[in-house]
Amino acid sequence: SMEKGLDPRTRLVLATNPDGSLPALLEDCADAAVDVLVTTPVWTKAEFAALHQKVAGAVLPTAQQILGRVEKVLTALHEVQLALPARPPAAQAAAVADIADQLDALLPANFVSTTGAAHLGDLARYLTAITRRLDRLPHAPAADAERMARVHAVHDAYTEVVQALSPIRVAAPDVRDIARMIEEFRVSLWAQQLGTARPVSEQRIYRAIDATLD
């Protein structure tokens, strides 16, 4: 039903995506829709029947709303891909490699359900910030390198903590939120005019990292 409702332009935007195909992307949106609709576990047959009815009636319109947000994400991604130099000069190579790593982390397979419907707008903003960074990179590679070093410092501290935590603890909302804080920090450094979802700084990120160890 979702695929039949797509116009040619939208279909073209959605066709190339980290999930690998349009059907896979639509399945990912449906999974994200179920995550929105199923907020608590159910334990009885009656509760399950009621939840099943709720999801069956709402999953399509919810998935369609999510797909609209995904279109904005993929439009922003295409802009990044157009701006990325295929063969960057030596002065820009480290920044381009950093951006490639960032994109891999932001857009894994099943990126819609992994990101979550509530954060797709943030994801589009993070991608727009990357384009702004690439626009400025040729004119100020030294400034870019200084900002990148600041991001790497907090990211390395976060990675060290994640490696020390159990898998269950790593999946906890407060730990996953630190990764979003680091993305917001990137926005504050390279595209401050886009705004951040909340106040962010190195000190706030380090405090959040320390809190995971308490």
Side-chain angles (χ1 to χ4, degrees):
S1 297
M2 291 171 66
E3 187 169 0
K4 289 178 181 177
L6 298 176
D7 59 62
R9 188 198 69 81
T10 302
R11 186 182 293 270
L12 184 63
V13 171
L14 300 177
T16 302
N17 66 76
D19 286 344
S21 69
L22 179 55
L25 177 65
L26 299 181
E27 288 287 347
D28 197 7
C29 290
D31 288 342
V34 173
D35 287 340
V36 170
L37 296 168
V38 181
T39 56
T40 57
V42 295
W43 302 106
T44 69
K45 182 177 180 180
E47 289 174 338
F48 180 83
L51 181 60
H52 184 278
Q53 184 176 8
K54 171 189 172 182
V55 172
V59 67
L60 179 57
T62 303
Q64 288 171 328
Q65 291 175 0
I66 290 171
L67 186 62
R69 301 176 205 174
V70 169
E71 183 180 357
K72 295 178 182 179
V73 169
L74 293 179
T75 298
L77 175 59
H78 295 164
E79 291 174 357
V80 172
Q81 291 168 333
L82 287 173
L84 268 173
R87 296 179 179 176
Q92 301 176 29
V96 171
D98 178 59
I99 289 169
D101 290 341
Q102 183 186 5
L103 291 174
D104 286 343
L106 288 174
L107 296 158
N110 300 317
F111 73 99
V112 183
S113 51
T114 299
T115 301
H119 295 290
L120 288 170
D122 293 332
L123 178 55
R125 183 164 46 84
Y126 300 156
L127 293 170
T128 300
I130 294 173
T131 300
R132 302 285 176 88
R133 177 185 180 183
L134 286 166
D135 289 343
R136 296 164 61 181
L137 178 60
H139 311 291
D144 186 278
E146 185 273 332
R147 296 185 183 105
M148 183 169 58
R150 293 170 65 186
V151 171
H152 284 185
V154 294
H155 190 273
D156 289 347
Y158 170 64
T159 300
E160 184 177 348
V161 167
V162 165
Q163 291 173 344
L165 297 175
S166 68
I168 293 176
R169 188 70 183 91
V170 168
D174 62 326
V175 177
R176 295 177 63 184
D177 189 58
I178 298 173
R180 285 192 285 269
M181 291 179 70
I182 295 173
E183 291 302 325
E184 295 291 346
F185 184 50
R186 285 180 177 272
V187 173
S188 74
L189 292 176
W190 280 289
Q192 190 174 19
Q193 64 275 24
L194 294 178
T196 57
R198 56 187 145 164
V200 65
S201 66
E202 286 129 311
Q203 292 74 21
R204 290 174 186 269
I205 296 171
Y206 284 128
R207 284 199 296 269
I209 291 172
D210 290 341
T212 65
L213 301 175
D214 294 341

